[in-house]
Amino acid sequence: MNRARIFVLILAFFAQVLSGGTASQAAPPREIIDLGGGITLELSSIPPGIFQMGSDHCTPLEQPVRPVKISQAFYLGIHEVTQAQYRQIMSTNPSFFAAAKNQEASDYANADAHPVEQVSWFDCVRFCNLLSMNQKLTPCYMNKSRGTIIADNDAVTCDWTANGYRLPTEAEWEYACRAGTTTRYYWGEAMSSRAIKQYAWYVDNALETAWTKPHAPRPGTQPVGTKLPNAFGLFDMTGNVWEWCWDWYGGYDTRAQLDPKGSRGFCRVARGGSWSSFSFLLPSAYRSGTEPNCRPIDQGFRILRAIP
Ligand SMILES: [Ca+2]
């Protein structure tokens, strides 16, 4: 092997190291989990990258706008976890908009495709760990005793190197939501009801006291994947249900960020707005927080798995 060839090989090696390797290029574009009982859960591969996180147009909590690097590719659920998927793993369905819980039960008798709600942050963590174990993957979440059976109010830590399922960090969530966009929403800046209705279930088409035609046949959550997706093929990142993230809800660190994993606080971050949210709560950068034991009727989650 001559010197020039060796030099090229060395250059190629460092180029691969600097680019974070080729794992994302080799990863299949979709992961489909068989949950049993004829129920599947589909995830889309999201490449690593750098994006401008935050916004100057929401509240001070979304500031400052700064570059954030997501260094590792990951799979993210293309939908919010549905009632059918949740029931299949957890053997229960806590949702309000399900036949057993709702006063208008007959209207929601077939709500399997609606996102699960009335789940606490701890419920989501338990779902992720149980799903990981069912799929013979390493659970990400541990309590103080390094056990993977998580109780309410446990001090939960995350093994970021584990190959199991977990909640997205809010940086991963916003990166996936934006899908390369820098605009207010992932469809651009259009704030009209007509524009938003193409992409999201929110007050104008899902809250009975505020909606205008055309609207859903009944108020509340709606079947997942019935609006337009973003450029990563993710549905309902805006609206339908708020989505729990890993992070504590607090002010952003102003320094440049590499895979940020959150602040300190008493609430966990929720993102994306819901069927009962007005448009000012829907921007890709907008942040909200919910006490981790709460189970709101407009909050659910979607799952992530890091691509090794
Ligand atoms: Ca959502």
Side-chain angles (χ1 to χ4, degrees):
M1 191 178 293
N2 62 35
R3 279 189 187 176
R5 171 84 173 135
I6 291 171
F7 181 67
V8 168
L9 285 174
I10 291 171
L11 271 185
F13 171 77
F14 281 109
Q16 182 170 328
V17 169
L18 287 172
S19 71
T22 56
S24 61
Q25 292 154 20
R30 289 286 166 102
E31 176 170 276
I32 299 176
I33 315 169
D34 183 355
L35 302 181
I39 298 168
T40 57
L41 194 159
E42 186 171 350
L43 303 94
S44 182
S45 74
I46 312 293
I50 296 174
F51 76 112
Q52 293 294 320
M53 185 171 180
S55 171
D56 291 327
H57 306 291
C58 296
T59 76
L61 275 165
E62 287 75 38
Q63 299 171 6
V65 179
R66 67 222 176 272
V68 164
K69 181 175 183 179
I70 302 296
S71 66
Q72 191 176 5
F74 57 89
Y75 287 116
L76 187 65
I78 66 169
H79 299 132
E80 298 146 338
V81 172
T82 66
Q83 295 184 24
Q85 291 164 341
Y86 192 88
R87 187 195 309 113
Q88 186 67 12
I89 298 301
M90 304 292 276
S91 303
T92 182
N93 177 14
S95 304
F96 178 83
F97 294 104
K101 293 276 180 69
N102 200 286
Q103 293 174 341
E104 302 168 88
S106 60
D107 279 352
Y108 295 92
N110 188 19
D112 274 6
H114 289 227
V116 70
E117 17 80 21
Q118 295 199 143
V119 285
S120 72
W121 185 87
F122 292 101
D123 292 331
C124 301
V125 162
R126 285 189 278 268
F127 176 95
C128 290
N129 270 8
L130 192 52
L131 175 61
S132 298
M133 289 186 271
N134 287 357
Q135 297 295 311
K136 304 199 182 335
L137 297 168
T138 304
C140 294
Y141 297 116
M142 292 169 292
N143 59 24
K144 259 187 175 170
S145 315
R146 300 191 69 76
T148 55
I149 307 299
I150 307 294
D152 287 351
N153 299 314
D154 271 354
V156 179
T157 55
C158 181
D159 176 359
W160 302 100
T161 66
N163 65 358
Y165 296 96
R166 61 174 173 82
L167 293 172
T169 65
E170 71 167 324
E172 289 165 336
W173 192 96
E174 185 173 327
Y175 174 69
C177 177
R178 288 184 173 280
T181 64
T182 56
T183 45
R184 185 183 307 263
Y185 309 109
Y186 46 83
W187 55 87
E189 297 288 350
M191 300 173 68
S192 69
S193 178
R194 182 175 176 168
I196 298 176
K197 279 180 176 178
Q198 294 183 71
Y199 293 88
W201 294 110
Y202 78 121
V203 291
D204 276 15
N205 54 8
L207 180 66
E208 199 169 15
T209 53
W211 64 20
T212 55
K213 290 183 177 177
H215 57 69
R218 54 191 71 85
T221 61
Q222 304 298 326
V224 299
T226 48
K227 292 294 179 183
L228 293 174
N230 72 5
F232 283 152
L234 307 171
F235 296 84
D236 300 303
M237 291 297 281
T238 295
N240 215 358
V241 285
W242 289 96
E243 299 173 26
W244 286 106
C245 292
W246 159 260
D247 310 42
W248 290 107
Y249 181 57
Y252 280 143
D253 190 331
T254 55
R255 292 167 292 186
Q257 297 279 304
L258 169 67
D259 298 322
K261 295 179 172 66
S263 185
R264 293 175 185 275
F266 301 100
C267 294
R268 296 280 181 172
V269 168
R271 288 297 205 114
S274 78
W275 60 269
S276 65
S277 295
F278 289 90
S279 60
F280 71 90
L281 301 174
L282 304 183
S284 300
Y286 187 84
R287 311 174 70 211
S288 183
T290 305
E291 196 277 320
N293 280 309
C294 281
R295 293 182 168 91
I297 62 169
D298 63 348
Q299 191 156 321
F301 67 114
R302 74 180 69 212
I303 59 168
L304 178 149
R305 190 166 84 84
I307 298 177

